[in-house]
Amino acid sequence: MKKFAILAFAAIAFAACTQNNQNMRQQNAIDVIKTRVSVRHFNGEKIADEQIQTLLQCAMAAPSAVNKQPWAFIVVTDENVLAQLAQASPYSRCDNNPACAFVMCGDLTKALEGEGQDYWIQDVSAATQNLLLAAHCMGLGAVWTGVYPIAERVKAVSAVLQLPEHIVPLCIVPVGVPAEQPEVKDKFNNDNIHYNIW
């Protein structure tokens, strides 16, 4: 009987520990989402190749329509190319000392056909958000800067990176060690919520 009680207690303790771990993971994920901020100034410190790889893995873990994964990523670490990107897309913050920049692109050869083709925009956007959250989780700063659909920016960025016609740059995400600590904004607004019907 005593042995049974000990086993039962151990099972309850294990279940509680597992539940606590799940709650902790959930809370950590929620905290990362709620505390992410746009970081536009960096200290110029380099980041490890492993960190870049992790960011790319997180980006590619995003959902995509029919699992087409119609994305391509250009990782820019060369200072000259970063400077060219800063000129091609002045709001990209690539001249603010990031360790690197990720140019998040759509690959139209992998996109759905017909009316669903533009789902690539949503797919690459999901990958971009994953990358932003992963960067924040890793203690890095990042900011989403738009390229598409402004034709002039698309053309200029494509020229700098020598992109083929079927690759469309959606946005540029400079990433690095933050040189600023922007205040976290509470963006929750009940006015934006409707239930069941408008």
Side-chain angles (χ1 to χ4, degrees):
M1 188 72 176
K2 186 177 179 182
K3 184 176 180 181
F4 175 77
I6 291 171
L7 289 173
F9 177 78
I12 292 169
F14 177 77
C17 183
T18 301
Q19 184 65 43
N20 285 340
N21 285 341
Q22 289 173 346
N23 289 342
M24 188 181 302
R25 280 197 303 273
Q26 180 184 29
Q27 191 58 47
N28 287 344
I30 290 171
D31 286 344
V32 167
I33 292 168
K34 290 174 72 173
T35 61
R36 187 212 63 80
V37 292
S38 294
V39 174
R40 296 174 173 83
H41 298 275
F42 312 90
N43 71 3
E45 185 179 330
K46 299 301 180 188
I47 63 175
D49 291 343
E50 292 78 10
Q51 290 174 294
I52 291 173
Q53 186 70 12
T54 297
L55 292 169
L56 290 168
Q57 288 170 341
C58 290
M60 288 186 238
S64 63
V66 198
N67 197 31
K68 285 287 191 177
Q69 303 173 36
W71 43 54
F73 310 103
I74 316 295
V75 183
V76 180
T77 56
D78 184 279
E79 290 183 8
N80 290 328
V81 181
L82 285 170
Q84 291 175 55
L85 280 179
Q87 293 230 336
S89 186
Y91 299 100
S92 68
R93 312 297 178 176
C94 287
D95 53 353
N96 286 353
N97 299 315
C100 62
F102 294 82
V103 184
M104 314 295 281
C105 302
D107 183 342
L108 299 186
T109 66
K110 298 178 182 177
L112 291 170
E113 295 181 1
E115 286 186 326
Q117 184 182 50
D118 282 349
Y119 278 142
W120 75 263
I121 299 166
Q122 298 177 38
D123 299 338
V124 179
S125 294
T128 302
Q129 181 70 357
N130 271 16
L131 189 143
L132 290 170
L133 292 172
H136 179 52
C137 186
M138 295 163 65
L140 300 172
V143 60
W144 181 325
T145 65
V147 177
Y148 181 89
I150 298 176
E152 183 182 357
R153 291 185 191 178
V154 171
K155 183 178 179 181
V157 170
S158 297
V160 169
L161 300 176
Q162 301 175 31
L163 301 180
E165 284 188 10
H166 64 278
I167 301 297
V168 183
L170 178 76
C171 60
I172 300 171
V173 182
V175 175
V177 179
E180 61 178 353
Q181 295 296 328
E183 183 179 348
V184 175
K185 299 173 184 174
D186 183 359
K187 300 179 183 179
F188 183 81
N189 184 347
N190 266 314
D191 293 340
N192 295 330
I193 303 168
H194 307 273
Y195 289 96
N196 300 316
I197 60 173
W198 186 264

PDB file of all heavy atoms in Angstrom, residues 22-48:
ATOM      1  N   GLN A  22       4.693  23.225 -19.334  1.00  0.00           N
ATOM      2  CA  GLN A  22       3.859  23.680 -20.440  1.00  0.00           C
ATOM      3  C   GLN A  22       3.380  25.106 -20.208  1.00  0.00           C
ATOM      4  O   GLN A  22       3.388  25.933 -21.118  1.00  0.00           O
ATOM      5  CB  GLN A  22       2.665  22.739 -20.620  1.00  0.00           C
ATOM      6  CG  GLN A  22       3.047  21.375 -21.175  1.00  0.00           C
ATOM      7  CD  GLN A  22       1.888  20.402 -21.199  1.00  0.00           C
ATOM      8  OE1 GLN A  22       0.859  20.626 -20.578  1.00  0.00           O
ATOM      9  NE2 GLN A  22       2.059  19.312 -21.931  1.00  0.00           N
ATOM     10  N   ASN A  23       2.971  25.387 -18.980  1.00  0.00           N
ATOM     11  CA  ASN A  23       2.519  26.742 -18.653  1.00  0.00           C
ATOM     12  C   ASN A  23       3.648  27.756 -18.821  1.00  0.00           C
ATOM     13  O   ASN A  23       3.442  28.865 -19.308  1.00  0.00           O
ATOM     14  CB  ASN A  23       1.983  26.798 -17.216  1.00  0.00           C
ATOM     15  CG  ASN A  23       0.656  26.074 -17.072  1.00  0.00           C
ATOM     16  OD1 ASN A  23      -0.025  25.825 -18.059  1.00  0.00           O
ATOM     17  ND2 ASN A  23       0.303  25.729 -15.850  1.00  0.00           N
ATOM     18  N   MET A  24       4.872  27.347 -18.416  1.00  0.00           N
ATOM     19  CA  MET A  24       6.028  28.235 -18.524  1.00  0.00           C
ATOM     20  C   MET A  24       6.343  28.522 -19.990  1.00  0.00           C
ATOM     21  O   MET A  24       6.588  29.667 -20.366  1.00  0.00           O
ATOM     22  CB  MET A  24       7.246  27.620 -17.827  1.00  0.00           C
ATOM     23  CG  MET A  24       8.436  28.571 -17.731  1.00  0.00           C
ATOM     24  SD  MET A  24       9.865  27.821 -16.923  1.00  0.00           S
ATOM     25  CE  MET A  24       9.179  27.383 -15.343  1.00  0.00           C
ATOM     26  N   ARG A  25       6.311  27.471 -20.831  1.00  0.00           N
ATOM     27  CA  ARG A  25       6.568  27.662 -22.253  1.00  0.00           C
ATOM     28  C   ARG A  25       5.514  28.581 -22.866  1.00  0.00           C
ATOM     29  O   ARG A  25       5.831  29.466 -23.652  1.00  0.00           O
ATOM     30  CB  ARG A  25       6.593  26.318 -22.979  1.00  0.00           C
ATOM     31  CG  ARG A  25       7.904  25.561 -22.835  1.00  0.00           C
ATOM     32  CD  ARG A  25       8.022  24.472 -23.888  1.00  0.00           C
ATOM     33  NE  ARG A  25       6.927  23.527 -23.848  1.00  0.00           N
ATOM     34  CZ  ARG A  25       6.882  22.441 -23.080  1.00  0.00           C
ATOM     35  NH1 ARG A  25       7.880  22.171 -22.280  1.00  0.00           N
ATOM     36  NH2 ARG A  25       5.850  21.630 -23.130  1.00  0.00           N
ATOM     37  N   GLN A  26       4.264  28.346 -22.507  1.00  0.00           N
ATOM     38  CA  GLN A  26       3.183  29.167 -23.034  1.00  0.00           C
ATOM     39  C   GLN A  26       3.363  30.621 -22.592  1.00  0.00           C
ATOM     40  O   GLN A  26       3.255  31.534 -23.401  1.00  0.00           O
ATOM     41  CB  GLN A  26       1.835  28.637 -22.563  1.00  0.00           C
ATOM     42  CG  GLN A  26       0.655  29.442 -23.083  1.00  0.00           C
ATOM     43  CD  GLN A  26      -0.664  28.944 -22.520  1.00  0.00           C
ATOM     44  OE1 GLN A  26      -0.727  28.420 -21.418  1.00  0.00           O
ATOM     45  NE2 GLN A  26      -1.720  29.112 -23.286  1.00  0.00           N
ATOM     46  N   GLN A  27       3.661  30.821 -21.322  1.00  0.00           N
ATOM     47  CA  GLN A  27       3.835  32.169 -20.816  1.00  0.00           C
ATOM     48  C   GLN A  27       5.021  32.850 -21.479  1.00  0.00           C
ATOM     49  O   GLN A  27       4.967  34.026 -21.829  1.00  0.00           O
ATOM     50  CB  GLN A  27       4.013  32.158 -19.297  1.00  0.00           C
ATOM     51  CG  GLN A  27       3.935  33.530 -18.668  1.00  0.00           C
ATOM     52  CD  GLN A  27       2.607  34.230 -18.951  1.00  0.00           C
ATOM     53  OE1 GLN A  27       1.545  33.656 -18.805  1.00  0.00           O
ATOM     54  NE2 GLN A  27       2.673  35.474 -19.397  1.00  0.00           N
ATOM     55  N   ASN A  28       6.124  32.095 -21.674  1.00  0.00           N
ATOM     56  CA  ASN A  28       7.297  32.668 -22.330  1.00  0.00           C
ATOM     57  C   ASN A  28       6.969  33.104 -23.749  1.00  0.00           C
ATOM     58  O   ASN A  28       7.379  34.171 -24.197  1.00  0.00           O
ATOM     59  CB  ASN A  28       8.453  31.667 -22.336  1.00  0.00           C
ATOM     60  CG  ASN A  28       9.079  31.506 -20.963  1.00  0.00           C
ATOM     61  OD1 ASN A  28       8.867  32.325 -20.082  1.00  0.00           O
ATOM     62  ND2 ASN A  28       9.844  30.451 -20.776  1.00  0.00           N
ATOM     63  N   ALA A  29       6.215  32.258 -24.471  1.00  0.00           N
ATOM     64  CA  ALA A  29       5.839  32.596 -25.842  1.00  0.00           C
ATOM     65  C   ALA A  29       4.957  33.837 -25.868  1.00  0.00           C
ATOM     66  O   ALA A  29       5.145  34.736 -26.691  1.00  0.00           O
ATOM     67  CB  ALA A  29       5.120  31.416 -26.491  1.00  0.00           C
ATOM     68  N   ILE A  30       4.001  33.905 -24.951  1.00  0.00           N
ATOM     69  CA  ILE A  30       3.113  35.067 -24.888  1.00  0.00           C
ATOM     70  C   ILE A  30       3.904  36.328 -24.542  1.00  0.00           C
ATOM     71  O   ILE A  30       3.687  37.397 -25.125  1.00  0.00           O
ATOM     72  CB  ILE A  30       1.970  34.811 -23.885  1.00  0.00           C
ATOM     73  CG1 ILE A  30       1.016  33.752 -24.458  1.00  0.00           C
ATOM     74  CG2 ILE A  30       1.210  36.102 -23.583  1.00  0.00           C
ATOM     75  CD1 ILE A  30      -0.020  33.250 -23.495  1.00  0.00           C
ATOM     76  N   ASP A  31       4.837  36.216 -23.609  1.00  0.00           N
ATOM     77  CA  ASP A  31       5.660  37.366 -23.232  1.00  0.00           C
ATOM     78  C   ASP A  31       6.473  37.869 -24.422  1.00  0.00           C
ATOM     79  O   ASP A  31       6.602  39.086 -24.628  1.00  0.00           O
ATOM     80  CB  ASP A  31       6.603  37.005 -22.082  1.00  0.00           C
ATOM     81  CG  ASP A  31       5.873  36.883 -20.751  1.00  0.00           C
ATOM     82  OD1 ASP A  31       4.726  37.373 -20.655  1.00  0.00           O
ATOM     83  OD2 ASP A  31       6.446  36.288 -19.814  1.00  0.00           O
ATOM     84  N   VAL A  32       7.036  36.943 -25.193  1.00  0.00           N
ATOM     85  CA  VAL A  32       7.826  37.327 -26.365  1.00  0.00           C
ATOM     86  C   VAL A  32       6.953  38.090 -27.355  1.00  0.00           C
ATOM     87  O   VAL A  32       7.349  39.137 -27.880  1.00  0.00           O
ATOM     88  CB  VAL A  32       8.467  36.081 -27.033  1.00  0.00           C
ATOM     89  CG1 VAL A  32       9.010  36.430 -28.416  1.00  0.00           C
ATOM     90  CG2 VAL A  32       9.586  35.526 -26.160  1.00  0.00           C
ATOM     91  N   ILE A  33       5.751  37.583 -27.595  1.00  0.00           N
ATOM     92  CA  ILE A  33       4.849  38.241 -28.541  1.00  0.00           C
ATOM     93  C   ILE A  33       4.452  39.631 -28.047  1.00  0.00           C
ATOM     94  O   ILE A  33       4.476  40.610 -28.796  1.00  0.00           O
ATOM     95  CB  ILE A  33       3.590  37.373 -28.772  1.00  0.00           C
ATOM     96  CG1 ILE A  33       3.967  36.085 -29.518  1.00  0.00           C
ATOM     97  CG2 ILE A  33       2.528  38.149 -29.559  1.00  0.00           C
ATOM     98  CD1 ILE A  33       2.877  35.039 -29.538  1.00  0.00           C
ATOM     99  N   LYS A  34       4.118  39.729 -26.766  1.00  0.00           N
ATOM    100  CA  LYS A  34       3.597  40.992 -26.231  1.00  0.00           C
ATOM    101  C   LYS A  34       4.673  42.049 -25.986  1.00  0.00           C
ATOM    102  O   LYS A  34       4.366  43.235 -25.897  1.00  0.00           O
ATOM    103  CB  LYS A  34       2.828  40.718 -24.939  1.00  0.00           C
ATOM    104  CG  LYS A  34       1.516  39.967 -25.173  1.00  0.00           C
ATOM    105  CD  LYS A  34       0.837  39.578 -23.880  1.00  0.00           C
ATOM    106  CE  LYS A  34       0.245  40.772 -23.174  1.00  0.00           C
ATOM    107  NZ  LYS A  34      -0.554  40.375 -21.989  1.00  0.00           N
ATOM    108  N   THR A  35       5.938  41.625 -25.888  1.00  0.00           N
ATOM    109  CA  THR A  35       7.000  42.588 -25.581  1.00  0.00           C
ATOM    110  C   THR A  35       7.912  42.891 -26.765  1.00  0.00           C
ATOM    111  O   THR A  35       8.849  43.680 -26.642  1.00  0.00           O
ATOM    112  CB  THR A  35       7.873  42.105 -24.402  1.00  0.00           C
ATOM    113  OG1 THR A  35       8.501  40.860 -24.762  1.00  0.00           O
ATOM    114  CG2 THR A  35       7.038  41.919 -23.146  1.00  0.00           C
ATOM    115  N   ARG A  36       7.629  42.292 -27.925  1.00  0.00           N
ATOM    116  CA  ARG A  36       8.446  42.589 -29.105  1.00  0.00           C
ATOM    117  C   ARG A  36       8.278  44.051 -29.491  1.00  0.00           C
ATOM    118  O   ARG A  36       7.178  44.595 -29.494  1.00  0.00           O
ATOM    119  CB  ARG A  36       8.018  41.691 -30.276  1.00  0.00           C
ATOM    120  CG  ARG A  36       8.945  41.834 -31.503  1.00  0.00           C
ATOM    121  CD  ARG A  36       8.201  41.623 -32.786  1.00  0.00           C
ATOM    122  NE  ARG A  36       7.174  42.618 -33.006  1.00  0.00           N
ATOM    123  CZ  ARG A  36       7.386  43.847 -33.478  1.00  0.00           C
ATOM    124  NH1 ARG A  36       8.618  44.258 -33.777  1.00  0.00           N
ATOM    125  NH2 ARG A  36       6.373  44.687 -33.650  1.00  0.00           N
ATOM    126  N   VAL A  37       9.362  44.688 -29.807  1.00  0.00           N
ATOM    127  CA  VAL A  37       9.343  46.083 -30.263  1.00  0.00           C
ATOM    128  C   VAL A  37      10.195  46.207 -31.523  1.00  0.00           C
ATOM    129  O   VAL A  37      11.033  45.349 -31.815  1.00  0.00           O
ATOM    130  CB  VAL A  37       9.888  47.043 -29.180  1.00  0.00           C
ATOM    131  CG1 VAL A  37       8.954  47.102 -27.986  1.00  0.00           C
ATOM    132  CG2 VAL A  37      11.297  46.652 -28.750  1.00  0.00           C
ATOM    133  N   SER A  38       9.967  47.269 -32.265  1.00  0.00           N
ATOM    134  CA  SER A  38      10.784  47.547 -33.443  1.00  0.00           C
ATOM    135  C   SER A  38      12.049  48.271 -33.009  1.00  0.00           C
ATOM    136  O   SER A  38      11.984  49.347 -32.424  1.00  0.00           O
ATOM    137  CB  SER A  38       9.997  48.402 -34.439  1.00  0.00           C
ATOM    138  OG  SER A  38       8.904  47.670 -34.955  1.00  0.00           O
ATOM    139  N   VAL A  39      13.187  47.657 -33.301  1.00  0.00           N
ATOM    140  CA  VAL A  39      14.493  48.249 -32.976  1.00  0.00           C
ATOM    141  C   VAL A  39      15.120  48.747 -34.275  1.00  0.00           C
ATOM    142  O   VAL A  39      15.296  47.978 -35.220  1.00  0.00           O
ATOM    143  CB  VAL A  39      15.408  47.218 -32.284  1.00  0.00           C
ATOM    144  CG1 VAL A  39      16.807  47.790 -32.090  1.00  0.00           C
ATOM    145  CG2 VAL A  39      14.807  46.786 -30.957  1.00  0.00           C
ATOM    146  N   ARG A  40      15.440  50.030 -34.302  1.00  0.00           N
ATOM    147  CA  ARG A  40      15.933  50.657 -35.529  1.00  0.00           C
ATOM    148  C   ARG A  40      17.400  51.072 -35.457  1.00  0.00           C
ATOM    149  O   ARG A  40      17.966  51.493 -36.451  1.00  0.00           O
ATOM    150  CB  ARG A  40      15.067  51.881 -35.858  1.00  0.00           C
ATOM    151  CG  ARG A  40      13.627  51.523 -36.165  1.00  0.00           C
ATOM    152  CD  ARG A  40      12.763  52.770 -36.335  1.00  0.00           C
ATOM    153  NE  ARG A  40      11.425  52.436 -36.798  1.00  0.00           N
ATOM    154  CZ  ARG A  40      10.432  52.035 -36.009  1.00  0.00           C
ATOM    155  NH1 ARG A  40      10.629  51.936 -34.693  1.00  0.00           N
ATOM    156  NH2 ARG A  40       9.255  51.744 -36.512  1.00  0.00           N
ATOM    157  N   HIS A  41      17.995  50.969 -34.284  1.00  0.00           N
ATOM    158  CA  HIS A  41      19.402  51.359 -34.116  1.00  0.00           C
ATOM    159  C   HIS A  41      20.155  50.224 -33.440  1.00  0.00           C
ATOM    160  O   HIS A  41      19.687  49.660 -32.446  1.00  0.00           O
ATOM    161  CB  HIS A  41      19.501  52.646 -33.288  1.00  0.00           C
ATOM    162  CG  HIS A  41      18.845  53.816 -33.946  1.00  0.00           C
ATOM    163  ND1 HIS A  41      19.487  54.604 -34.873  1.00  0.00           N
ATOM    164  CD2 HIS A  41      17.598  54.322 -33.822  1.00  0.00           C
ATOM    165  CE1 HIS A  41      18.663  55.542 -35.292  1.00  0.00           C
ATOM    166  NE2 HIS A  41      17.507  55.399 -34.670  1.00  0.00           N
ATOM    167  N   PHE A  42      21.319  49.918 -33.978  1.00  0.00           N
ATOM    168  CA  PHE A  42      22.101  48.774 -33.534  1.00  0.00           C
ATOM    169  C   PHE A  42      23.520  49.209 -33.200  1.00  0.00           C
ATOM    170  O   PHE A  42      23.976  50.265 -33.642  1.00  0.00           O
ATOM    171  CB  PHE A  42      22.108  47.693 -34.628  1.00  0.00           C
ATOM    172  CG  PHE A  42      20.739  47.394 -35.183  1.00  0.00           C
ATOM    173  CD1 PHE A  42      20.243  48.088 -36.277  1.00  0.00           C
ATOM    174  CD2 PHE A  42      19.934  46.447 -34.584  1.00  0.00           C
ATOM    175  CE1 PHE A  42      18.975  47.840 -36.775  1.00  0.00           C
ATOM    176  CE2 PHE A  42      18.664  46.186 -35.073  1.00  0.00           C
ATOM    177  CZ  PHE A  42      18.184  46.884 -36.166  1.00  0.00           C
ATOM    178  N   ASN A  43      24.230  48.359 -32.439  1.00  0.00           N
ATOM    179  CA  ASN A  43      25.576  48.770 -32.010  1.00  0.00           C
ATOM    180  C   ASN A  43      26.686  48.269 -32.928  1.00  0.00           C
ATOM    181  O   ASN A  43      27.861  48.475 -32.644  1.00  0.00           O
ATOM    182  CB  ASN A  43      25.831  48.329 -30.564  1.00  0.00           C
ATOM    183  CG  ASN A  43      25.997  46.824 -30.413  1.00  0.00           C
ATOM    184  OD1 ASN A  43      25.974  46.067 -31.392  1.00  0.00           O
ATOM    185  ND2 ASN A  43      26.165  46.363 -29.184  1.00  0.00           N
ATOM    186  N   GLY A  44      26.330  47.600 -34.025  1.00  0.00           N
ATOM    187  CA  GLY A  44      27.332  47.164 -34.997  1.00  0.00           C
ATOM    188  C   GLY A  44      27.988  45.832 -34.677  1.00  0.00           C
ATOM    189  O   GLY A  44      28.778  45.323 -35.478  1.00  0.00           O
ATOM    190  N   GLU A  45      27.682  45.275 -33.519  1.00  0.00           N
ATOM    191  CA  GLU A  45      28.278  43.993 -33.125  1.00  0.00           C
ATOM    192  C   GLU A  45      27.785  42.882 -34.049  1.00  0.00           C
ATOM    193  O   GLU A  45      26.608  42.820 -34.405  1.00  0.00           O
ATOM    194  CB  GLU A  45      27.891  43.686 -31.678  1.00  0.00           C
ATOM    195  CG  GLU A  45      28.544  42.441 -31.101  1.00  0.00           C
ATOM    196  CD  GLU A  45      28.140  42.216 -29.654  1.00  0.00           C
ATOM    197  OE1 GLU A  45      27.869  43.224 -28.955  1.00  0.00           O
ATOM    198  OE2 GLU A  45      28.071  41.050 -29.233  1.00  0.00           O
ATOM    199  N   LYS A  46      28.694  42.001 -34.443  1.00  0.00           N
ATOM    200  CA  LYS A  46      28.330  40.884 -35.304  1.00  0.00           C
ATOM    201  C   LYS A  46      27.569  39.825 -34.496  1.00  0.00           C
ATOM    202  O   LYS A  46      27.718  39.745 -33.282  1.00  0.00           O
ATOM    203  CB  LYS A  46      29.577  40.243 -35.931  1.00  0.00           C
ATOM    204  CG  LYS A  46      30.375  41.187 -36.819  1.00  0.00           C
ATOM    205  CD  LYS A  46      29.522  41.714 -37.966  1.00  0.00           C
ATOM    206  CE  LYS A  46      30.292  42.668 -38.871  1.00  0.00           C
ATOM    207  NZ  LYS A  46      29.414  43.319 -39.855  1.00  0.00           N
ATOM    208  N   ILE A  47      26.774  39.040 -35.186  1.00  0.00           N
ATOM    209  CA  ILE A  47      26.109  37.912 -34.537  1.00  0.00           C
ATOM    210  C   ILE A  47      26.623  36.630 -35.173  1.00  0.00           C
ATOM    211  O   ILE A  47      27.121  36.629 -36.296  1.00  0.00           O
ATOM    212  CB  ILE A  47      24.577  38.008 -34.621  1.00  0.00           C
ATOM    213  CG1 ILE A  47      24.091  37.964 -36.071  1.00  0.00           C
ATOM    214  CG2 ILE A  47      24.082  39.283 -33.938  1.00  0.00           C
ATOM    215  CD1 ILE A  47      22.572  37.927 -36.196  1.00  0.00           C
ATOM    216  N   ALA A  48      26.492  35.528 -34.450  1.00  0.00           N
ATOM    217  CA  ALA A  48      27.067  34.255 -34.886  1.00  0.00           C
ATOM    218  C   ALA A  48      26.280  33.665 -36.055  1.00  0.00           C
ATOM    219  O   ALA A  48      25.071  33.894 -36.190  1.00  0.00           O
ATOM    220  CB  ALA A  48      27.074  33.274 -33.714  1.00  0.00           C
TER     221      ALA A  48
END
